[in-house]
Amino acid sequence: MADASPVGLGAVLFQKNQNGTYQIIGYVSKTLSEVERRYAQIEREALALVWSVEKFYYYLYGKFFWLITDHKPLVTIFGERAKPSARIERWILRLMSFKYQVIYQPGKSNIADPFSRLCQDAEICDESFDEEAERIIRMVSHDICPASLSHEEISDATCKDIELSDLIKWLPYPVKRWPKTLIKYKSFAKDLSTDGCIVLKNKKIIIPKILQNRVLQLAHEPHLGIIAMKKRLREKVWWVRIDKMIVDFVKACEGCLLVSKCSTTPMTRTPLPTGPWKKIAIDFTEIMNNTHLLVVVDYFSRYPEVEIMPSMTASATIYKLKIIFARFGYPEEIVCDNGPPFHSEEFIVFSKTCGIKINYSVPYSPFQNGMVERFNKSFLKTVKISATMGRDWKTDLQNFLLGEIQYTMNRDR
């Protein structure tokens, strides 16, 4: 059982006897060095576990044992899928030769707590428990530092940053005691660590506010776009709301705006034709059993026509349109998508012969042919309900069209 305080570490080794009682084997304690006293609270608790196991090495090696702590996050951090900070990650690797399980028990039952506090008046330890870990942390910190910024520059800017300076000051204390100004960091406090005046989140440097805009500019120099810029920055740096700042920065870049192309035509109000059957919208829609329908809607009156298609060829489409045009005459304009029947040479020749202008919508932009698309949505619902209830969908479709025609006539009156 191990515990850590702001000034020291304590541990108790005990075993369970056959009669169910516990037998104390040994007590140990250690004062913290000046560097270790600046550790985050969770790092000191993790240090207590590693230090206590290595202190009782000859008792524990080759045996399975429980490693008891009163700091509950360590149960997850010392698990298999955890992604801890660089300092804790190294300590977990040091325990890989042992067979153990981290167990949580509330602090009131932790008998190692007094031993971690009995050294309050003792001198500060000259050396840290793991001096090599400090060298590795400094190496990681320098390695992830952006090439265009020096390590000293980030350190100086962090010391001048009020928020990050407060974060470094409060990291050694429990999260529940942190001020409200640091509430944004509480949810991932277990991932934070420090290297001098630099704050790390896992293996990423937290950039102070004064350097954030400069980092964004440097990362955006190749003008790679939002996704590539996020990927580039996430490898080494982090700060609160970094993703939103990346999006805003790219959208405000004049160079990106000049060369970017709008994927779709901007939405505009379609002008109303001067009379009925001057402009119509046509489209194919599929219902059950691979059956297709040709839908025609007049832009002026909203009058619909629906024909069952034996096939979706240009010849079959022209034949059905001739039947409809025989009743109402040729329209001046047809709005359709880029489907093969409408884009075929046969259909284009037919339209020119009849004096009809074809207006194709932009690919993958069904809203540009919204007149017929909206009608399709309405009558498809009727067809699906009819099929689900086992009724004749053709009869129900005719009744639906009759109701639409009557509504159009009454509205025009």
Side-chain angles (χ1 to χ4, degrees):
M1 182 175 290
D3 192 35
S5 71
V7 294
L9 308 176
V12 178
L13 177 65
F14 57 91
Q15 67 180 18
K16 189 175 183 179
N17 298 327
Q18 294 181 354
N19 58 4
T21 60
Y22 290 93
Q23 178 68 42
I24 302 296
I25 297 176
Y27 306 92
V28 289
S29 64
K30 172 191 179 302
T31 57
L32 295 176
S33 67
E34 185 177 354
V35 174
E36 291 169 340
R37 296 189 182 198
R38 294 197 299 267
Y39 284 174
Q41 175 65 18
I42 193 168
E43 289 181 330
R44 289 201 302 265
E45 297 287 351
L47 175 63
L49 298 184
V50 181
W51 169 79
S52 61
V53 170
E54 295 193 355
K55 197 71 175 176
F56 292 115
Y57 173 85
Y58 294 103
Y59 294 92
L60 302 176
Y61 190 76
K63 298 181 180 294
F64 176 82
F65 59 92
W66 286 347
L67 196 51
I68 302 174
T69 178
D70 60 1
H71 204 69
K72 198 170 185 179
L74 292 179
V75 177
T76 304
I77 291 176
F78 276 73
E80 296 180 354
R81 299 183 179 180
K83 295 181 179 180
S85 62
R87 188 175 280 116
I88 296 180
E89 185 178 42
R90 168 174 167 75
W91 292 338
I92 293 176
L93 292 175
R94 290 182 65 157
L95 294 185
M96 289 187 67
S97 60
F98 295 90
K99 299 179 181 179
Y100 66 94
Q101 180 181 357
V102 178
I103 303 293
Y104 165 74
Q105 285 187 7
K108 60 183 179 181
S109 62
N110 194 330
I111 58 177
D113 181 71
F115 299 98
S116 66
R117 302 178 183 274
L118 288 176
C119 51
Q120 288 187 3
D121 298 330
E123 295 182 0
I124 297 177
C125 185
D126 295 332
E127 294 184 358
S128 300
F129 164 70
D130 191 3
E131 288 289 344
E132 186 179 356
E134 297 307 312
R135 291 193 293 271
I136 291 176
I137 294 299
R138 287 192 291 271
M139 182 182 68
V140 170
S141 178
H142 282 77
D143 184 57
I144 62 178
C145 181
S148 53
L149 295 175
S150 66
H151 195 268
E152 292 74 17
E153 188 176 3
I154 298 177
S155 179
D156 293 340
T158 303
C159 292
K160 297 176 182 178
D161 190 285
I162 298 176
E163 188 174 80
L164 292 182
S165 297
D166 286 344
L167 182 60
I168 295 174
K169 174 184 175 182
W170 286 96
L171 267 179
Y173 298 93
V175 177
K176 60 183 178 181
R177 294 176 56 185
W178 287 12
K180 294 182 179 180
T181 55
L182 300 177
I183 191 172
K184 64 182 73 172
Y185 298 98
K186 287 186 177 182
S187 60
F188 47 85
K190 66 180 185 298
D191 301 328
L192 300 176
S193 59
T194 59
D195 173 28
C197 287
I198 290 182
V199 185
L200 304 174
K201 181 181 182 291
N202 295 121
K203 295 180 181 179
K204 302 174 186 178
I205 294 179
I206 299 183
I207 301 296
K209 289 183 179 180
I210 194 173
L211 296 178
Q212 290 175 5
N213 192 59
R214 181 179 168 188
V215 171
L216 291 174
Q217 290 177 346
L218 294 170
H220 189 61
E221 280 182 357
H223 298 273
L224 300 177
I226 294 176
I227 297 177
M229 189 173 172
K230 285 182 179 179
K231 184 178 180 181
R232 193 178 187 187
L233 287 175
R234 285 173 179 170
E235 293 178 353
K236 294 186 176 183
V237 301
W238 183 89
W239 63 82
V240 177
R241 302 183 69 185
I242 181 175
D243 287 348
K244 185 179 184 304
M245 290 184 65
I246 291 173
V247 174
D248 295 341
F249 188 88
V250 175
K251 288 183 177 180
C253 176
E254 295 183 1
C256 293
L257 292 175
L258 289 173
V259 300
S260 62
K261 296 181 180 179
C262 184
S263 59
T264 60
T265 305
M267 295 183 66
T268 56
R269 184 183 296 274
T270 303
L272 188 68
T274 57
W277 211 251
K278 291 182 178 294
K279 181 179 180 179
I280 64 174
I282 63 176
D283 190 24
F284 288 110
T285 185
E286 182 181 0
I287 56 177
M288 74 290 294
N289 300 326
N290 201 27
T291 302
H292 292 83
L293 303 177
L294 174 64
V295 182
V296 181
V297 180
D298 177 33
Y299 264 85
F300 183 83
S301 63
R302 308 298 195 265
Y303 177 83
E305 283 279 347
V306 179
E307 293 286 344
I308 301 175
M309 298 295 295
S311 64
M312 294 180 61
T313 62
S315 300
T317 304
I318 293 172
Y319 176 77
K320 291 294 183 180
L321 287 177
K322 283 183 177 180
I323 295 176
I324 299 174
F325 293 163
R327 295 194 292 268
F328 305 106
Y330 293 122
E332 296 177 359
E333 182 181 354
I334 290 179
V335 179
C336 59
D337 57 24
N338 291 266
F342 304 140
H343 239 295
S344 65
E345 184 178 356
E346 184 179 0
F347 187 82
I348 294 174
V349 171
F350 167 74
S351 302
K352 288 182 178 181
T353 304
C354 300
I356 302 173
K357 177 185 176 182
I358 304 178
N359 186 5
Y360 294 104
S361 60
V362 177
Y364 307 107
S365 303
F367 64 85
Q368 289 201 321
N369 200 8
M371 176 67 69
V372 69
E373 295 287 350
R374 182 66 185 86
F375 181 77
N376 290 346
K377 184 178 180 180
S378 299
F379 86 82
L380 281 176
K381 182 179 179 182
T382 301
V383 174
K384 289 180 180 179
I385 293 175
S386 177
T388 304
M389 298 179 66
R391 300 167 57 178
D392 184 6
W393 66 269
K394 295 182 180 180
T395 302
D396 288 340
L397 177 59
Q398 292 173 356
N399 294 333
F400 172 81
L401 293 175
L402 181 60
E404 286 291 314
I405 294 172
Q406 290 178 343
Y407 170 77
T408 302
M409 294 175 62
N410 294 333
R411 182 194 60 199
D412 293 341
R413 290 176 184 174

